[in-house]
Amino acid sequence: MIKIMTGTNLSPIEKIKSESIGLRGTIVQGLADEITGAISEDDQAVIKFHGMYQQDDRDVREERAEKKLERLYSFMIRLRLPGGFLTPQQWIAAHEIAGKNTTGVIKITSRQTIQLHGLIKSKIKPTIVDFNTSLLDSIATCGDINRNVLCSSHPNQSPVHKQVFAYADKISQLLMPKTKAYYEIWLDQDKVVDKKEEEDPLYEDRYLPRKFKIAIAIPPNNDVDVFANDIGLIAVIENNKLLGFNLAIGGGLSTTHGNKATYARLATTIGFCDTEEKTLKAVYEVVTIQRDYGNRNDRKLARLKYTLDKYGVDWFKQELEKRTGFALQEPKPYQFTSRTDYFGWQPDDKGLWHYTVFVENGRVTDDENIKLKSALLEAAKTGKANFRFTASQNVILSDIKDQDKKTVENILTQFGVINSNESSSALRKNSMACVALNTCPLALAEGQRYLPSLISKIEPLLKKYSLESEGIITRMTGCPNGCARPYVAEIGLVGTAYGRYNLHFGGDRVGERLNKIYKENLDEESILFELNGWLGRYKSERKTGETFGDFSLREIKFN
């Protein structure tokens, strides 16, 4: 068994993982401690592998500190939903659990799953028990492990969508950890007596150097941002037959302000796999190479993109072919022409209907304008629609029979969903923000709480220049880690401090090009000033059919 360590000065997390007794740590003891709402620092690293992050409400930190109270700790829990699919019964369960044990808001993530915030320590176990009753779990949705697998979400993308979609679950199962800690701690299953039962040839006792992300795309729509992932699989389909997948590796967007050794990178396509067996074997062995050669000294340089650039694409491909036992074929031709969700009603080739609901920044809740949470619950209660989440934080009410379409449509109309869908601008529908403040400990600036109001100030600029129909892809994050994928947006806003953002321009419309920093550390007034000027120039100087991203890349002199 290969055990390669890049140096001896391993990061502290490496020791925590290897000594965690199969991801058990002292979580049980920490749950029993009623004096604090937190768990130990070591266990905070371990519990991520169970699908949770410890957080606190940053809005009340100072107030609680003045009163000599500990921070208002809680946990975020994220479900494992390969390809982002839920039955109506599972949605009802998520709705009820959210209302009983968390803030009540259901958050659709940029990785096609849902997460709940505000879960206090004493409610973690009953929440997981409730999820388990509905055949749901949170295993491996956080931590140094393969995360939720993305797949092009809409069944109308191809007659073989179902066949391609099945790969998300196959890969998820293939890359699951072998430890039974989750079942012991949260579901009271018998403790493992023979540790051989938990021997894990993939993750061993150290797991991966850092998180690992996989996405599957069906051209011509790159709705999953396939090249932003450690592994990207691009389905090659001819005459409605799946021929196999092009394999791309080494994508990843997280950076660190001021650290030039960190950078965003798009995945490099290295070959084609023509069978399911070869595709799954290639995916598995890419992970083993990252396990063995990834940087375990510096977590900021631990993603696959840095491993690939350190050793080179040619070396990586040779090592992969050695481990798989077969040579990759040359990549097959394909073309991406869009990166979007199909809003409103769309039929598929099977005669079923699908309604894509715009969910601003993925927040499913009721407000004065739209009773979205109530609408989705009522739709689920009919049992006539499945739920599919998109990588742009929206939800598709899916697989609806023709005779049931009117029933679902009436519910969406009653609660204001259809009106909201139709009245939202193209810019707003193509925007996305991360959670950021008030719960993310890494956030430097606002994200989902602020972007809607900024969009409302950008919309008049678009109207001023008759650009209302332009679905310019606009994304915001509260820090440089890139959870809302701002570095592949036409307009990217990356938080640097409260109320300030780096402004990025120049990403393309289909997700095959990174953008560039135009100006740094701008406040709202400066952002709007710059956008006003460049949107005006875009209107008057663009070429026929030119997108804003292409225009800005052509015209702007970047530093």
Side-chain angles (χ1 to χ4, degrees), residues 366-384:
D366 288 347
D367 60 33
E368 62 276 10
N369 298 316
I370 175 176
K371 306 299 182 186
L372 178 58
K373 190 179 178 187
S374 296
L376 296 181
L377 177 63
E378 291 305 311
K381 285 180 178 178
T382 69
K384 301 181 187 300

Side-chain angles (χ1 to χ4, degrees), residues 132-155:
N132 185 67
T133 301
S134 297
L135 304 180
L136 296 169
D137 66 61
S138 61
I139 301 170
T141 55
C142 313
D144 299 343
I145 207 160
N146 177 57
R147 303 287 187 89
N148 200 54
V149 181
L150 303 187
C151 184
S152 289
S153 54
H154 207 298

Side-chain angles (χ1 to χ4, degrees), residues 485-504:
R485 303 191 292 276
Y487 306 112
V488 284
E490 294 178 271
I491 299 174
L493 294 154
V494 179
T496 58
Y498 193 79
R500 291 187 173 271
Y501 302 83
N502 288 344
L503 178 59
H504 295 239

